[in-house]
Amino acid sequence: MRHFLDFEKPIADLEGKIEELRHLTGSDELNIDEEVEKLQIKMERQLRATYQKLTAWQKVQVARHPDRPHANAVIDHLIDDFNPLAGDRGFAEDLAMVGGIGRFRGRSVVVIGTEKGATTADRVKRNFGMARPEGYRKARRLMEMADRFKLPILTFVDTAGAYPGVDAEARGQAEAIAKAIETCLNVRVPLIASIIGEGGSGGAVAIAAGNRVLMFEHAVYSVISPEGCASILWRSAEFAKDAAEALKITAQDLQKLGVIDRIVPEPVGGAHRDRTTALDALGDAISEELGALASTEGGQLRAERRDKFLEMGAA
Amino acid sequence: MNWLTNAVLPKIQALVGREMPDNLWHKCPACGQMIFHADLATNHRVCSECDHHMRLPPMERLKLLFDGGLVEPIELGKPAIDPLKFRDRKRYSDRLREAQSKTGRNDAIVVAHGTIEGNAAVVAAFDFDFMGGSMGSSVGEGLVRAAKLAETQDAALIIVPSSGGARMQEGILSLMQMPRTVAAVERFKETGRPFVVLLTDPTTGGVTASFAMLGDLHISEPGAIIGFAGQRVIQETIREQLPEGFQKAEYLLEHGMVDAVVHRHKLKQTLGGLLGLLMDPEPKADVVKLDPASETPASKPVEANASAPMSSADRVEQNEASKKSKA
């Protein structure tokens, strides 16, 4: 059973009708086929129309869709010979932060991503994609390894944010994030970050300060969740919709602001309706960006990345 | 009463020639002690009763740190802008204007240069009264400028955060100040000069999770709240009572995140001492290696150096003396 979002109700209704008709068997089968086809066209038109003008708040829901391809799905699709690597070498393995080495279109790369989990059990195990300090320290360790072996780094961001818990604070969540950002900025290899779903605040930028930042068409990236912003500035989380608009969190807005470099198109109805097409497009985009950086020397990659972030918001 | 306030008071004020302060007494938020405002000022806003460290406005902070209380702020240029045309229940541009007229500055940061116990330093101090000291593009700009100035002046860089975190009215651009300020302090650190973070109440959110945790040294004031996530958010997530003293400076010291918790009255001396050790590592010029055979009681400079706790005035003199001798 497909999971429909609130604003997809007309689409869900049409799809329900089509299903019903398909199960009908009778003498006038021809008419049914015709009817199904008509409804199908209508539904697709509706889907296209809806997804063409998603509001910021609707995009938040799409970005958080449970069927959306998460980091592990992206890795499965894009990375061959993937070897997951575990641990921060200090305290623990954090399953909210996945990482390892593998081949992307033939070339060795280091991959890092925040993983929300695919099933309920998996989600719990992965703390719903909210990493703790050891997750950021693991990311840092892998980035340093990539630097040592001159391997490009691909990161896939999909998190509501870093975990806000007593244990995380006790072990230095802020320091772990700060050091992860520092390492992103210091490596002498290409770092390509892709915001694939939710880019939640410091927990996202910790692995996203890259030479190139790509973003799926319906992904969101924000300094604070719309709910959090609404409860502070509007004094009620009910204004999340307004906050989502005001914060300018969509890929389209962020490209205008110069914060992201490239939007990766999603198939009609979002990445969760056709993972293969979505992930192929992501792979092509990463491949192009990586190709463009291939001949740049390490020190130059680092200098360009640093200069780019030093200019963010400059007068 | 109206007659009193409307007619008599202005006349008295005209006679005295200045505004009468409304609040002559200040209540300590920790122990409730009433403190006379002049006493509070001379005590650098530390409660004389319970030692609670109240927030210190940036200019007072700079006066406290720089030698002779001499503060030379640099011009930070254009005031903050409103890149998103952000509006919640109020326009961000209105909030900015209010904060500007309340504090008399363009944004939540002051950058100044001078010397601390004789050591050249650039200090960037946050103003919590300006929208909770939140970090947007122009605060980021201030920090980039501070790091650059410290580099060109061959000075130490000291940042004094007092901030709730990123300024959400600037959306993603406030988030981008995290990598931006990290890049700025990293570039500075490559010069080999010290970068010190003086963590004051409160240092939270995106400010802590960027430049503020990347100092060569982390010094904190007692009782300062320092952390990433806000306490309310944590409580809503875990639905448990937070531990005693959670996210206080002493808690961070215990958990290995700060080097030292230092009383405000000893801050300048401690900071100056550390800067001297890092920036002036060579033995002082007046330390003369004496031939043991000819050791005479006239070895005064050596004694002065060896005697452990030196008054700050002595140290300044000495540093100046050694600088002169170097030049």
Side-chain angles (χ1 to χ4, degrees):
Chain A
M1 185 58 199
R2 176 170 279 166
H3 178 98
F4 284 98
L5 300 168
D6 281 351
F7 66 86
E8 293 179 323
K9 189 155 186 313
I11 299 156
D13 289 346
L14 284 169
E15 205 161 287
K17 267 187 211 161
I18 294 168
E19 282 301 302
E20 255 172 55
L21 282 176
R22 277 191 179 140
H23 283 96
L24 277 181
T25 46
S27 50
D28 48 356
E29 262 181 53
L30 257 176
N31 278 342
I32 289 178
D33 281 352
E34 224 173 85
E35 189 65 15
V36 166
E37 202 176 312
K38 255 199 257 168
L39 284 174
Q40 195 85 40
I41 291 167
K42 196 174 166 193
M43 191 199 76
E44 271 162 31
R45 202 179 297 145
Q46 180 90 41
L47 195 63
R48 192 177 298 274
T50 306
Y51 271 78
Q52 247 165 17
K53 48 178 177 49
L54 289 180
T55 65
W57 179 241
Q58 286 168 339
K59 282 191 190 251
V60 171
Q61 291 165 275
V62 174
R64 293 175 183 167
H65 197 292
D67 300 336
R68 196 172 171 83
H70 295 158
N72 275 339
V74 175
I75 294 170
D76 275 351
H77 192 87
L78 295 182
I79 309 296
D80 302 316
D81 303 333
F82 182 65
N83 285 268
L85 299 171
D88 70 341
R89 298 294 188 271
F91 181 75
E93 156 69 346
D94 186 343
L95 292 170
M97 187 71 76
V98 295
I101 23 178
R103 286 189 187 274
F104 171 69
R105 305 203 172 169
R107 190 186 204 307
S108 286
V109 291
V110 164
V111 182
I112 298 164
T114 42
E115 171 58 48
K116 287 183 172 179
T119 61
T120 305
D122 196 29
R123 279 190 254 279
V124 170
K125 205 169 74 178
R126 299 187 185 280
N127 200 28
F128 303 89
M130 293 182 287
R132 291 181 162 87
E134 38 282 13
Y136 296 105
R137 291 184 180 130
K138 170 185 172 181
R140 186 171 172 227
R141 176 176 79 84
L142 295 180
M143 288 192 259
E144 280 167 355
M145 188 182 71
D147 200 29
R148 213 166 101 69
F149 292 96
K150 309 254 176 298
L151 306 178
I153 303 166
L154 307 182
T155 67
F156 299 105
V157 179
D158 188 18
T159 179
Y163 183 62
V166 173
D167 59 335
E169 294 289 321
R171 294 195 295 275
Q173 188 71 293
E175 192 265 358
I177 293 172
K179 282 277 167 63
I181 298 174
E182 179 191 50
T183 310
C184 281
L185 292 171
N186 276 341
V187 291
R188 290 162 194 271
V189 294
L191 196 163
I192 297 184
S194 304
I195 317 290
I196 56 170
E198 229 183 327
S201 196
V205 76
I207 57 166
N211 294 85
R212 296 282 189 276
V213 182
L214 318 185
M215 200 163 158
F216 258 141
E217 189 182 347
H218 304 311
V220 293
Y221 189 12
S222 177
V223 65
I224 184 171
S225 73
E227 293 93 332
C229 178
S231 70
I232 297 169
L233 293 181
W234 278 264
R235 306 264 158 90
S236 158
E238 281 167 37
F239 292 91
K241 258 184 210 177
D242 304 82
E245 286 298 333
L247 282 167
K248 303 268 191 287
I249 58 178
T250 68
Q252 295 69 30
D253 280 332
L254 298 186
Q255 194 176 37
K256 274 183 220 149
L257 290 168
V259 170
I260 64 155
D261 302 288
R262 179 173 181 151
I263 299 176
V264 180
E266 292 187 34
V268 176
H272 58 282
R273 280 196 166 75
D274 183 355
R275 288 179 168 217
T276 307
T277 308
L279 297 179
D280 282 345
L282 180 63
D284 291 346
I286 292 172
S287 178
E288 270 182 40
E289 298 297 344
L290 212 49
L293 296 173
S295 58
T296 313
E297 179 267 328
Q300 185 67 19
L301 283 169
R302 181 170 180 263
E304 282 175 11
R305 194 188 309 119
R306 180 185 276 185
D307 288 346
K308 166 182 152 170
F309 283 97
L310 278 171
E311 284 301 306
M312 289 280 178
Chain B
M1 202 177 79
N2 279 342
W3 171 78
L4 269 176
T5 50
N6 294 340
V8 178
L9 195 62
K11 275 180 193 160
I12 294 173
Q13 277 172 350
L15 215 67
V16 178
R18 63 183 165 90
E19 287 262 315
M20 299 284 272
D22 292 332
N23 305 313
L24 289 173
W25 294 87
H26 195 94
K27 192 176 173 186
C28 170
C31 70
Q33 173 74 22
M34 297 303 286
I35 311 162
F36 189 59
H37 76 110
D39 293 343
L40 191 61
T42 48
N43 217 22
H44 302 294
R45 298 184 65 81
V46 175
C47 175
S48 46
E49 196 65 23
C50 73
D51 243 5
H52 174 68
H53 285 50
M54 296 171 214
R55 282 177 196 142
L56 201 59
M59 282 311 281
E60 287 179 44
R61 168 76 58 193
L62 295 166
K63 276 183 202 149
L64 173 81
L65 292 178
F66 283 127
D67 294 336
L70 220 67
V71 182
E72 287 185 65
I74 63 159
E75 198 61 56
L76 285 176
K78 272 192 276 181
I81 43 154
D82 179 10
L84 307 186
K85 306 268 167 278
F86 190 94
R87 178 178 200 160
D88 48 86
R89 291 169 307 143
K90 240 187 209 175
R91 282 176 206 278
Y92 173 43
S93 51
D94 290 342
R95 284 186 197 267
L96 269 179
R97 257 194 296 277
E98 269 169 41
Q100 282 160 350
S101 64
K102 178 176 147 196
T103 61
R105 54 187 118 257
N106 283 341
D107 213 310
I109 195 127
V110 182
V111 177
H113 59 104
T115 57
I116 300 176
E117 308 274 319
N119 304 287
V122 170
V123 183
F126 279 66
D127 185 357
F128 189 80
D129 283 336
F130 195 109
M131 296 188 74
S134 55
M135 178 164 73
S137 297
S138 78
V139 169
E141 179 80 29
L143 295 175
V144 170
R145 296 263 203 102
K148 202 74 199 159
L149 183 67
E151 190 185 325
T152 49
Q153 291 194 345
D154 207 12
L157 173 65
I158 293 152
I159 306 184
V160 192
S162 177
S163 168
R167 185 173 297 166
M168 59 190 143
Q169 289 91 343
E170 290 188 23
I172 196 82
L173 290 171
S174 69
L175 187 70
M176 289 303 123
Q177 301 313 304
M178 293 172 68
R180 187 185 189 198
T181 56
V182 170
V185 300
E186 284 308 300
R187 185 169 65 180
F188 171 75
K189 279 160 87 175
E190 281 165 13
T191 65
R193 301 261 111 189
F195 167 43
V196 182
V197 186
L198 172 52
L199 300 139
T200 68
D201 187 64
T203 302
T204 58
V207 166
T208 324
S210 57
F211 69 86
M213 280 290 135
L214 298 176
D216 293 304
L217 298 171
H218 295 167
I219 308 292
S220 173
E221 285 197 331
I225 292 287
I226 306 159
F228 177 62
Q231 300 203 345
R232 203 167 47 109
V233 176
I234 297 173
Q235 208 144 25
E236 279 167 14
T237 310
I238 60 165
R239 299 185 189 284
E240 273 173 45
Q241 206 58 33
L242 297 176
E244 180 77 17
F246 181 61
Q247 290 184 329
K248 289 231 167 133
E250 296 73 14
Y251 178 92
L252 269 90
L253 182 72
E254 202 181 302
H255 286 85
M257 285 299 142
V258 299
D259 292 286
V261 177
V262 178
H263 194 286
R264 191 172 287 162
H265 295 165
K266 295 205 173 113
L267 214 49
K268 176 179 161 69
Q269 193 188 347
T270 308
L271 203 54
L274 287 166
L275 291 182
L277 288 167
L278 291 173
M279 296 167 80
D280 207 0
E282 297 302 317
K284 300 280 174 271
D286 49 7
V287 178
V288 198
K289 204 168 185 185
L290 295 169
D291 180 5
S294 68
E295 198 169 349
T296 59
S299 54
K300 230 180 170 184
V302 184
E303 268 171 34
N305 251 351
S307 64
M310 206 189 307
S311 83
S312 56
D314 282 346
R315 203 184 297 236
V316 175
E317 269 178 31
Q318 203 155 33
N319 275 346
E320 272 162 10
S322 73
K323 269 177 197 158
K324 269 174 206 149
S325 68
K326 263 191 269 174

